[in-house]
């Protein structure tokens, strides 16, 4: 009896941690999507629903995993593909839906691992590293820790800015608590900074903080890309590889990708279905790597109790879109969540480095391509593949046929984009 009560308390405390991190991450991704013209309340509602269904689907039959729309992938799609290149968010949803369906079919075949193995280990590592750096950069820009500069790549903010001060204080607090082995370091740091900024008047609780969930602005809004199907195909292929690699990196940083593909088929399936309601693709959240790997004994319909409680807590936050939007107006707390998740993804990339290869200038050039490309994952992946294949051939070594095929394919997508 005591053991069951202790297991319930452990599951509940873990679920609170996961739900708090998930909620703030979803607030930030909804705020990103709002910059493209998508209604915030619709983006928040459908993201909550996608996270609930995705978490239950990928956790069934295994250990608890948290499925969320990737902030790194969302930031890339919003800034580079939608805002910079003029793609509408409806067309981006259509590309994401097709990509998710292809990913679901691919991960159910015996060739499921072929696409990721076509990427050399150093390229897979660089892709995860680039996504982690992208999340950190997005957090720094949101919190004005980094500012655009007319004479340099960027310049630092100032601590006289309350947003910068509270965000940096929160990140430092979370790191100190984590160093002290406090299990709830991230949600505790977010709650403290949220309370301080509210007490100082930087954000207010709205008079009517709750609202009936709204899907009207996004449900059924996806459209297929009509203007440039060739560029859309290249974007879809890049998106598929980014989603696969990010999730696999979280699932198994030290294991071979082929050993941990069970959750990927339901993950892509949920992403494809929820895109009809307006949700962007899901990945396995980096905080899942910090959860115990042992399978839980207490389950509901084959789903771990922790995953069920996390989904329940997220559903309770469904009517809180207005309150969460007020919190996003002074995004110190969401920026803290994004920065720490970026650090977690960066740690997974560093853990993957020993598996990559013996380091030479070739490996250094591949890593540099992803870091310098910043948000532009498609350009970074194209450049990394081109550099790896070219330098491998120059050394008199042989790259696999699949690697050559991907390099040629991405290079053609890139060249056609500029020729047109």
């Amino acid at each position: 009896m005591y053991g069951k009560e202790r297991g319930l308390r452990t599951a509940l405390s873990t679920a609170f941690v996961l739900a708090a991190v998930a909620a703030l991450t979803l607030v930030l991704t909804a705020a990103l999507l709002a910059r493209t013209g998508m209604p915030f309340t619709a983006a928040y509602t459908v993201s909550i629903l996608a996270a609930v269904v995705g978490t239950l689907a990928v956790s069934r039959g295994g250990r608890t995993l948290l499925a969320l729309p990737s902030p790194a992938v969302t930031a890339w799609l919003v800034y580079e593909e939608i805002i910079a290149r003029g793609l509408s968010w409806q067309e981006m949803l259509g590309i994401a839906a097709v990509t998710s369906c292809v990913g679901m079919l691919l991960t159910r075949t015996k060739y499921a691992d072929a696409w990721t193995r076509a990427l050399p280990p150093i390229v897979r590592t660089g892709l995860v590293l680039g996504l982690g750096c992208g999340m950190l950069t997005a957090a720094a820009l949101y919190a004005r820790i980094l500012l655009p500069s007319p004479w340099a790549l960027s310049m630092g903010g100032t601590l006289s800015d309350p947003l910068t001060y509270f965000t940096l204080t929160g990140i430092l607090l979370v790191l100190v608590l984590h160093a002290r082995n406090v299990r709830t370091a991230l949600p505790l740091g977010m709650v403290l900074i949220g309370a301080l900024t509210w007490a100082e008047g930087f954000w207010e609780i709205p008079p009517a903080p709750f609202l009936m969930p709204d899907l009207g602005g996004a449900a059924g809004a996806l459209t297929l890309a009509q203007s440039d199907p060739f560029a859309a195909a290249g974007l879809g292929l890049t998106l598929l590889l980014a989603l696969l690699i990010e999730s696999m990196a979280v699932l198994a940083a030290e294991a071979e990708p082929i050993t941990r593909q069970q959750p990927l088929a339901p993950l892509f399936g949920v992403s494809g279905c929820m895109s009809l309601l307006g949700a962007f693709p899901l990945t396995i959240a980096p905080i899942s790597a910090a959860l115990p790997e042992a399978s839980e004994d207490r389950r509901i319909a084959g789903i771990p109790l922790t995953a069920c409680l996390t989904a329940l807590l997220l559903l309770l936050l469904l009517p809180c879109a207005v309150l969460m939007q007020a919190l996003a107006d002074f995004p110190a707390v969401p920026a803290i969540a994004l920065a720490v998740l970026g650090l977690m993804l960066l740690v997974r990339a560093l853990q993957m480095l020993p598996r990559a290869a013996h380091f030479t200038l070739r490996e250094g050039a591949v890593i540099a391509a992803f870091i310098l490309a910043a948000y532009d994952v498609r350009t970074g992946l194209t450049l990394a593949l081109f550099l790896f294949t070219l330098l491998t051939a120059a050394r008199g070594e042989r790259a696999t046929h699949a690697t050559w095929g991907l390099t040629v394919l991405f290079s053609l997508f890139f060249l056609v984009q500029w020729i047109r």
Side-chain angles (χ1 to χ4, degrees):
M1 186 69 179
Y2 175 74
K4 290 184 178 180
E5 292 180 357
R6 183 178 180 182
L8 179 60
R9 287 198 301 269
T10 302
L12 188 58
S13 63
T14 304
F16 270 113
V17 173
L18 293 178
V21 173
L24 272 301
T25 305
L26 294 174
V27 167
L28 195 55
T29 53
L32 282 171
L33 294 173
R35 297 189 174 195
T36 69
M38 189 175 184
F40 178 90
T41 53
Y44 173 81
T45 301
V46 74
S47 296
I48 287 279
L49 292 176
V52 168
V53 178
T55 297
L56 295 177
V58 299
S59 301
R60 190 173 186 275
R63 68 186 183 93
T64 299
L65 297 170
L66 182 63
L68 295 175
S70 168
V73 173
T74 304
W76 157 49
L77 296 177
V78 167
Y79 288 121
E80 288 295 328
E81 305 299 337
I82 298 177
I83 295 177
R85 294 192 170 97
L87 197 68
S88 69
W89 63 268
Q90 294 91 340
E91 289 178 317
M92 191 63 250
L93 273 178
I95 295 172
V98 174
T99 300
S100 298
C101 292
V102 172
M104 182 184 65
L105 296 174
L106 182 65
T107 51
R108 289 185 179 275
T109 67
K110 62 179 181 179
Y111 304 107
D113 196 47
W115 284 97
T116 53
R117 289 195 180 279
L119 294 176
I122 188 62
V123 177
R124 295 200 297 264
T125 302
L127 181 56
V128 177
L129 185 66
L131 290 171
C133 290
M135 291 175 71
L136 289 171
T137 304
L141 291 174
Y142 251 91
R144 297 196 286 270
I145 298 171
L146 292 179
L147 299 172
S149 172
W151 58 82
L153 186 63
S154 64
M155 63 181 183
T158 172
L159 290 179
S160 61
D161 185 339
L163 179 57
T164 303
Y165 172 78
F166 280 109
T167 304
L168 287 175
T169 301
I171 294 172
L172 184 60
L173 177 62
V174 170
L175 293 177
V176 170
L177 291 174
H178 186 269
R180 297 291 300 174
N181 295 320
V182 177
R183 188 175 181 180
T184 57
L186 181 53
L188 183 58
M190 293 190 300
V191 167
L192 289 175
I193 295 301
L196 283 174
T197 52
W198 173 76
E200 292 289 337
F202 292 109
W203 66 280
E204 297 180 352
I205 299 176
F210 306 109
L211 183 72
M212 285 294 293
D214 176 29
L215 290 176
L222 64 83
T223 59
L224 297 179
Q226 303 291 335
S227 58
D228 195 349
F230 198 78
L235 175 57
L237 180 58
T238 307
L239 178 60
L240 176 61
L241 290 173
L243 295 173
L244 278 172
I245 298 301
E246 180 176 346
S247 294
M248 286 181 174
V250 176
L251 287 172
E254 298 179 358
E256 290 299 318
I258 196 172
T259 62
R260 296 291 182 91
Q261 289 191 337
Q262 183 183 357
L264 295 182
L267 182 72
F268 279 112
V270 171
S271 294
C273 293
M274 298 307 294
S275 63
L276 298 175
L277 298 180
F280 273 59
L282 299 170
T283 59
I284 306 298
I287 197 172
S288 302
L291 298 177
E293 293 190 5
S295 181
E296 294 183 49
D297 294 329
R298 301 196 66 177
R299 294 175 175 272
I300 301 176
I303 303 171
L305 182 60
T306 301
C308 293
L309 292 174
T310 302
L312 179 61
L313 291 174
L314 286 176
L315 286 175
L316 293 177
L317 293 173
L318 202 53
C320 302
V322 176
L323 178 62
M324 292 300 183
Q325 188 172 17
L327 186 61
D329 289 338
F330 188 79
V333 178
I336 293 170
L338 185 62
V340 175
L341 289 178
L343 284 174
M344 290 181 178
L345 202 56
L346 192 62
V347 169
R348 299 308 269 177
L350 294 177
Q351 290 174 342
M352 294 170 68
L353 281 177
R355 294 174 29 221
H358 174 67
F359 270 79
T360 63
L361 284 178
R362 179 187 66 178
E363 283 71 28
V366 168
I367 294 294
F370 283 107
I371 294 176
L372 295 176
Y375 288 122
D376 199 345
V377 178
R378 181 166 31 159
T379 299
L381 183 57
T382 303
L383 181 57
L385 279 170
F386 179 79
L387 287 172
F388 180 86
T389 307
L390 175 64
L391 296 178
T392 298
R395 290 168 58 171
E397 300 176 1
R398 292 185 61 184
T400 64
H401 294 297
T403 301
W404 272 102
L406 271 185
T407 302
V408 171
L409 190 60
F410 273 93
S411 299
L412 285 176
F413 285 141
F414 187 80
L415 289 175
V416 168
Q417 172 188 344
W418 286 104
I419 290 173
R420 292 186 178 186

